[in-house]
Amino acid sequence: MDLERQFEQTVAADHRVEPRDWMPDGYRATLIRQIAQHAHSEIIGMQPEGNWISRAPSLRRKAVLLAKVQDEAGHGLYLYAAAETLGADRAELTEKLIEGRQKYSSIFNYPTLTYADVGVIGWLVDGAAICNQVPLCRTSYGPYARAMIRVCKEESFHQRQGYELLMTMMSGTRQQREMVQDSVNRWWWPSLMMFGPSDAESSNTEQSMVWRIKRHTNDELRQRFVDMSVPQAEKLGVTLPDPALVWNPDRGHHDFGEIDWTEFWQVVKGEGPCNAERIAHRRKAHEDGAWVREAATAYARKKEQAA
Amino acid sequence: MTKSSWPLYEVFVRGKRGLNHVHVGSLHAPDDEMALRNARDLYTRRNEGVSIWVVKAEAITASSPDEKDPFFAPSGDKVYRHPTFYAIPEDVPHL
C-alpha cells in the first residue's frame, strides 16, 4: 500500500499519526504553523497578566497569578516540544516570533488596564481558549493531542480562578462592580475574535478538517462559546456588550451581533494596541537571557571535560 | 543572536509508587542535572510524579515505523502464546 493512502486511512479511522510516520508535506507544514502559533500565544500571553503580578491586591491573589503565568510558560514549552517532533527547530521558532514571521493570538495585543482584567481574561479569554482546545485533545497528530490534554487540565484552574475573582469583585463596592463591567465591555468582542475569521473567510479550515487537525469550524466553536458565556454572565451580574445578543428558540442557540472584522484584521496585521510592545518585550527577554544560556552551556562543557 | 545548542531530553515520570515511568514529553537543558530540574518544573507542578527519569533523546534507539509490519511479524502468527488459544471446558474451575 502506498504511503499516502496509508496516512489517509490512519487519519480517517481516527487513529493517531506519530512523529516518525510518513505524512504529507502539507500536513507537516500546517501542523508546525498551527502548533508554533499556539506556543507563541502561550508565551506572549504571559505578558498581559504578568503586568499585574507586582500589584495583586493580596498575597493569595499574587500566588494564584504567579502560578497561572507559570502555567502559560509550561503550556508554551509543551507545544514547542510537540512542534519539534515535526522537525521544527526550537531556537528558530523563537526567532520567527520576534522577527514577526510567525503569529500569535491577537487577543494578547489588547492592554490590561485594571485588575479586573485578570479576572475577565481568566473567565472569557481562557474560556474561549478552552472551547478551542478541548476538541484539539483529539486532533490527529499524537504529540499535539497529548500536549493539549495537559494544557486543558490546567486551563480549567485558570478559568475558575478568573470567575471566582470576578464574583469577589461583584460582591464588593459599586466602583469594583463598574470595574468588572468595564473590563467585560472591553474583552467580550476580542474574545469572540479568538475563534478566527468566519467559516466563509477561513482559508485553512477545510483541509484541516479532512486531516482531522481541526474537529470543528471557527463559527461552530464561537457559537458554543457564546451559549456557554451567557448564563455565566447572568449569574455574575454583568451585561455582555451586544444589543443583538438574544436567545433564538428555533435554532436552539443565541443569536449575536456582527464582529467588527476591520478591527480583527487590523490587529492580525500588527496594528493592535500592543503588538509592537509585546514583541519588543519578548525580544528583550530573549536577548537579555542570552548570557544565561551561554554560561550554562559553558559550564556543562567544562564539567564534561573534567569528567 | 546566539542559537540555543542545548540538547533535547526525553522525560519519563512515575506517577506514584507501584507504577511504571511513562514518557510525558521533552525539553532542552544544558546538562543532565538541569534537565531533571527543568522536568520537575515543567511536568510535575501539580504532584504528577514521585520520580523522574531524563535521557538525552540522541541516546534512544527506536524501531522504525516504516518497517513496523516485518519487525513485529514474528509474533503475528503465534496465537498459541495467548491463553484464549486453548479450549477448556467451561465447568473446569479456576482456570
Side-chain angles (χ1 to χ4, degrees):
Chain A
M1 189 167 31
D2 73 88
L3 293 167
E4 187 144 14
R5 274 210 31 222
Q6 202 173 330
F7 168 84
E8 281 164 7
Q9 283 181 3
T10 302
V11 168
D14 245 341
H15 293 159
R16 297 288 176 265
V17 178
E18 293 295 344
R20 298 174 72 210
D21 291 341
W22 183 91
M23 60 188 87
D25 291 343
Y27 179 82
R28 187 185 297 276
T30 301
L31 272 171
I32 290 179
R33 182 180 53 79
Q34 181 172 332
I35 299 174
Q37 186 170 330
H38 197 157
H40 297 330
S41 302
E42 301 282 358
I43 297 300
I44 295 289
M46 295 166 75
Q47 293 184 37
E49 289 182 285
N51 182 35
W52 284 93
I53 290 175
S54 62
R55 289 173 288 163
S58 69
L59 195 55
R60 175 182 182 270
R61 296 289 175 192
K62 187 182 231 172
V64 168
L65 190 50
L66 265 173
K68 186 182 179 232
V69 172
Q70 192 191 5
D71 273 354
E72 309 295 2
H75 297 175
L77 294 178
Y78 305 153
L79 288 160
Y80 282 130
E84 281 184 290
T85 64
L86 292 157
D89 179 81
R90 167 77 177 281
E92 231 173 82
L93 294 177
T94 301
E95 270 173 34
K96 281 182 179 161
L97 170 65
I98 59 187
E99 284 165 10
R101 287 187 287 143
Q102 276 177 341
K103 292 192 189 314
Y104 55 90
S105 175
S106 285
I107 192 77
F108 303 116
N109 290 319
Y110 291 87
T112 41
L113 302 179
T114 69
Y115 182 68
D117 290 4
V118 172
V120 171
I121 287 177
W123 173 38
L124 292 179
V125 174
D126 292 324
I130 291 171
C131 272
N132 262 327
Q133 290 170 354
V134 166
L136 289 175
C137 295
R138 294 184 298 123
T139 194
S140 58
Y141 186 59
Y144 190 25
R146 293 192 286 272
M148 291 319 302
I149 290 171
R150 300 186 71 88
V151 168
C152 284
K153 271 190 199 158
E154 298 177 356
E155 286 291 348
S156 153
F157 141 60
H158 297 180
Q159 199 187 17
R160 289 172 66 103
Q161 68 81 30
Y163 196 79
E164 187 238 35
L165 189 163
L166 296 176
M167 286 200 312
T168 309
M169 285 186 82
M170 289 303 283
S171 64
T173 63
R174 188 175 56 86
Q175 280 156 316
Q176 284 174 314
R177 285 194 294 278
E178 282 170 3
M179 207 186 267
V180 173
Q181 182 61 57
D182 167 70
S183 178
V184 170
N185 293 348
R186 284 181 288 110
W187 289 96
W188 173 249
W189 288 104
S191 300
L192 292 189
M193 293 179 197
M194 284 176 70
F195 296 92
S198 70
D199 293 350
E201 301 283 322
S202 176
S203 48
N204 302 316
T205 295
E206 200 179 334
Q207 180 63 69
S208 287
M209 298 275 281
V210 172
W211 280 335
R212 306 224 176 163
I213 296 174
K214 280 178 87 157
R215 320 282 314 210
H216 304 279
T217 70
N218 295 352
D219 287 334
E220 282 167 15
L221 293 167
R222 189 166 12 241
Q223 180 71 61
R224 187 180 294 180
F225 174 69
V226 170
D227 291 340
M228 274 172 37
S229 301
V230 168
Q232 293 169 349
E234 269 169 29
K235 193 85 191 151
L236 198 57
V238 295
T239 310
L240 297 174
D242 178 1
L245 184 63
V246 62
W247 175 251
N248 181 333
D250 297 333
R251 290 202 308 126
H253 291 292
H254 293 85
D255 291 339
F256 54 98
E258 184 71 13
I259 286 171
D260 180 350
W261 294 112
T262 313
E263 177 184 326
F264 173 84
W265 290 113
Q266 259 172 8
V267 184
V268 168
K269 292 192 173 116
E271 291 150 35
C274 301
N275 294 56
E277 180 188 332
R278 298 293 186 233
I279 290 296
H281 188 88
R282 180 69 191 92
R283 176 189 289 278
K284 185 173 185 310
H286 186 65
E287 288 172 0
D288 288 354
W291 73 270
V292 179
R293 294 191 293 277
E294 283 160 24
T297 306
Y299 178 70
R301 201 175 301 134
K302 197 173 94 182
K303 261 199 326 190
E304 213 165 76
Q305 281 163 357
Chain B
M1 207 178 311
T2 50
K3 279 200 176 182
S4 152
S5 53
W6 290 0
L8 185 69
Y9 284 82
E10 298 297 335
V11 181
F12 301 79
V13 170
R14 184 201 294 285
K16 58 180 181 184
R17 300 176 68 85
L19 297 180
N20 289 319
H21 284 77
V22 174
H23 182 244
V24 292
S26 54
L27 50 77
H28 288 273
D31 58 33
D32 297 354
E33 197 185 327
M34 285 305 294
L36 209 48
R37 284 170 184 275
N38 291 352
R40 177 201 57 191
D41 291 346
L42 187 54
Y43 291 106
T44 62
R45 286 196 301 283
R46 291 181 174 77
N47 303 317
E48 291 97 333
V50 295
S51 163
I52 301 175
W53 290 345
V54 291
V55 59
K56 282 203 178 97
E58 62 179 24
I60 293 177
T61 308
S63 64
S64 155
D66 299 340
E67 56 186 47
K68 72 170 182 262
D69 291 339
F71 190 73
F72 293 106
S75 72
D77 58 354
K78 296 182 178 60
V79 284
Y80 49 83
R81 286 181 172 174
H82 297 276
T84 46
F85 178 73
Y86 304 93
I88 307 283
E90 290 214 351
D91 51 1
V92 180
H94 308 304
L95 200 71

